[in-house]
């Protein structure tokens, strides 16, 4: 089958026409015929060697995938042809973290066993998945829309961590890549209107305009001149220096949501007195523990008003066009690249 394969030992990414087809290994496994599989910012960090991933063998990356059931194990609850989305993360079910419902902290599962990072992922025509990590899509959600379910599940977890977010709060979103855009649509859908979006790339700001939210759009230099303070800052950049600068824009009692995934090498210098004096809250957000059901409900409620690929700046590519996809992401000409597979 076709696949885009990553060799972690050499940091080499390549297209392969004859990657082995997956086979059922357990009675509760399913084989998913992939329709859409996104390229995440984490994937870019992995390819650059800035984020841990499997090195023992080459695998297809891709932890944001939707499609249809192609084959089922004899104990599966799913049916061939069902539309589904894949949750790439799971728990070990044994450690204290997992048994307390916090598998994002698990040292063996969670992000340490992710499909598409440590196991064969969705940048391929087919992928084997334990049925416990598969969710059926309700009527009204397409596999195209469900291609965004995994990142929305992470936003859902972040939304819960940051709650309550009161309508009327002054909110600043840093970065208008796809995660920034998903936060924009989420906040607008939930009734927020006092939102400012900061992005240095004018092309990405133009993309945000397509969403027609009425949010204020600025560049970082404008923020620096204004010195306005905010109740909530949502950092979607994944850049340590951005946090260091933007932390100065916090209002008393404010919350700083560190959402973008920074490489482990990034650092920020913060003033502890400001944290004390303003009673500030710093909120980290890691993956998507048990938030897929919420994300699926969001997708159904948001519909085409918010989930239009063009409005979000999402462009689709064939697996064989992976180099162009990576180049467009690096240039910032698209907010997100998604592989469109098995559509012939």
């Amino acid at each position: 089958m076709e696949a885009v394969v990553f060799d972690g030992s050499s940091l080499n990414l390549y297209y392969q026409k004859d990657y082995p087809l997956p086979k059922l290994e357990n009675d509760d496994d399913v084989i998913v015929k992939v329709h859409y599989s996104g390229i995440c910012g984490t994937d870019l960090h992995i390819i650059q060697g800035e984020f841990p991933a499997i090195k023992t063998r080459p695998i297809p990356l891709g932890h944001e995938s939707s499609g249809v059931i192609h084959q089922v194990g004899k104990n599966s609850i799913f049916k061939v042809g069902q539309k589904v989305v894949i949750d790439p993360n799971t728990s070990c079910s044994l450690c204290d973290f997992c048994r307390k419902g916090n598998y994002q902290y698990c040292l063996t599962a969670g992000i340490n066993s992710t499909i598409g990072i440590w196991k064969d992922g969705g940048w391929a025509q087919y992928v084997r998945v334990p049925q416990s990590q598969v969710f059926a899509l309700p009527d009204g959600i397409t596999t195209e829309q469900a291609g965004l379910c995994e990142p929305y599940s992470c936003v859902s977890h972040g939304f819960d961590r940051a709650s309550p977010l009161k309508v009327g709060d002054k909110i600043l979103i840093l970065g208008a890549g796809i995660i920034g855009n998903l936060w924009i649509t989420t906040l607008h859908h939930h009734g927020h209107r006092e939102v400012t979006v900061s992005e240095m790339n004018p092309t990405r700001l133009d993309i945000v305009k397509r969403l027609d939210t009425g949010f204020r759009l600025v560049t970082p230099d404008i923020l620096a001149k204004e010195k306005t303070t905010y109740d909530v800052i949502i950092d979607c950049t994944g850049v340590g220096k951005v946090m260091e600068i933007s932390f100065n824009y916090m209002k008393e009692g404010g919350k700083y949501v560190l959402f973008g995934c920074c490489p482990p090498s990034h650092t920020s210098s913060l003033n502890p007195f400001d944290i004390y004096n303003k009673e500030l809250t710093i909120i980290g957000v890691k993956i998507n523990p048990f938030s897929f059901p919420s994300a699926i409900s969001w997708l159904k409620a948001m519909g085409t008003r918010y989930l239009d690929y063009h409005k979000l700046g999402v462009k689709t590519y064939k697996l064989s066009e992976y180099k162009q996809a990576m180049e467009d992401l690096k240039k910032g000409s698209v907010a997100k690249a998604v592989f469109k597979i098995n559509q012939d």
Side-chain angles (χ1 to χ4, degrees):
M1 66 174 177
E2 294 181 72
V4 176
V5 180
F6 176 67
D7 185 342
S9 63
S10 62
L11 301 183
N12 184 32
L13 186 71
Y14 56 93
Y15 170 73
Q16 185 173 338
K17 285 186 176 181
D18 58 351
Y19 192 83
L21 281 163
K23 297 180 181 179
L24 297 172
E25 296 181 7
N26 304 296
D27 291 341
D28 59 353
D29 283 345
V30 298
I31 304 294
V32 176
K33 184 178 184 180
V34 181
H35 282 183
Y36 294 89
S37 191
I39 302 175
C40 175
T42 303
D43 293 316
L44 300 181
H45 288 313
I46 289 170
I47 293 165
Q48 293 164 4
E50 299 172 335
F51 195 87
I54 189 171
K55 294 183 179 181
T56 54
R57 65 179 180 90
I59 67 165
L61 296 181
H63 58 273
E64 305 174 354
S65 305
S66 64
V68 296
I69 297 293
H70 175 71
Q71 190 178 359
V72 298
K74 65 181 183 180
N75 290 339
S76 177
I77 64 172
F78 292 95
K79 305 295 183 184
V80 172
Q82 271 188 291
K83 294 185 300 179
V84 296
V85 66
I86 298 170
D87 182 350
N89 304 303
T90 190
S91 71
C92 77
S93 301
L94 296 173
C95 71
D96 286 344
F97 292 131
C98 289
R99 290 186 171 186
K100 292 177 181 177
N102 297 312
Y103 70 72
Q104 69 270 35
Y105 310 139
C106 181
L107 300 179
T108 57
I111 202 169
N112 302 298
S113 64
T114 301
I115 292 169
I117 296 180
W118 299 98
K119 303 174 183 178
D120 285 31
W123 292 2
Q125 291 180 289
Y126 300 89
V127 60
R128 180 186 68 85
V129 189
Q131 70 171 2
S132 60
Q133 291 178 247
V134 176
F135 289 81
L137 294 174
D139 293 339
I141 299 179
T142 66
T143 54
E144 179 180 82
Q145 292 170 334
L148 299 172
C149 193
E150 194 278 339
Y152 265 119
S153 74
C154 296
V155 173
S156 174
H157 178 47
F159 191 89
D160 289 344
R161 291 268 291 141
S163 292
L165 295 174
K166 298 178 181 179
V167 172
D169 281 349
K170 290 186 66 175
I171 300 176
L172 172 63
I173 297 176
L174 301 170
I178 188 59
I179 287 298
N181 291 352
L182 298 191
W183 269 102
I184 288 167
T185 55
T186 295
L187 292 172
H188 192 269
H189 180 65
H190 284 81
H192 293 272
R193 296 296 182 268
E194 298 297 319
V195 179
T196 296
V197 180
S198 173
E199 169 60 53
M200 63 188 301
N201 186 328
T203 300
R204 288 187 168 179
L205 286 178
D206 287 339
I207 291 172
V208 176
K209 292 175 184 177
R210 300 175 196 165
L211 294 170
D212 193 28
T213 60
F215 291 171
R216 192 172 75 107
L217 310 180
V218 299
T219 51
D221 61 309
I222 299 297
L223 289 181
K225 292 176 182 177
E226 290 178 339
K227 298 182 179 179
T228 302
T229 55
Y230 297 84
D231 299 295
V232 182
I233 296 179
I234 303 169
D235 186 349
C236 301
T237 67
V239 179
K241 190 66 177 179
V242 170
M243 181 183 189
E244 184 174 305
I245 294 170
S246 58
F247 209 74
N248 297 313
Y249 308 147
M250 296 291 295
K251 187 179 289 188
E252 283 77 2
K255 302 173 185 176
Y256 195 102
V257 182
L258 189 59
F259 193 90
C261 181
C262 288
S265 59
H266 283 210
T267 59
S268 296
S269 296
L270 306 178
N271 188 328
F273 180 80
D274 284 343
I275 299 173
Y276 147 77
N277 191 45
K278 293 184 176 181
E279 290 194 337
L280 303 178
T281 301
I282 302 173
I283 300 170
V285 182
K286 187 178 183 183
I287 63 172
N288 58 340
F290 303 110
S291 55
F292 252 72
S294 293
I296 290 172
S297 295
W298 282 13
L299 294 182
K300 190 171 183 179
M302 295 171 90
T304 55
R305 165 65 181 90
Y306 297 102
L307 303 180
D308 181 276
Y309 271 23
H310 172 69
K311 290 180 181 179
L312 288 166
V314 179
K315 185 176 178 180
T316 60
Y317 301 81
K318 298 177 181 179
L319 289 169
S320 59
E321 298 173 328
Y322 78 98
K323 289 185 178 179
Q324 186 62 55
M326 298 296 172
E327 184 62 28
D328 289 349
L329 282 172
K330 290 176 182 177
K331 290 188 299 185
S333 59
V334 298
K336 186 173 186 63
V338 172
F339 291 119
K340 185 177 181 180
I341 312 167
N342 291 315
Q343 300 291 310
D344 296 332

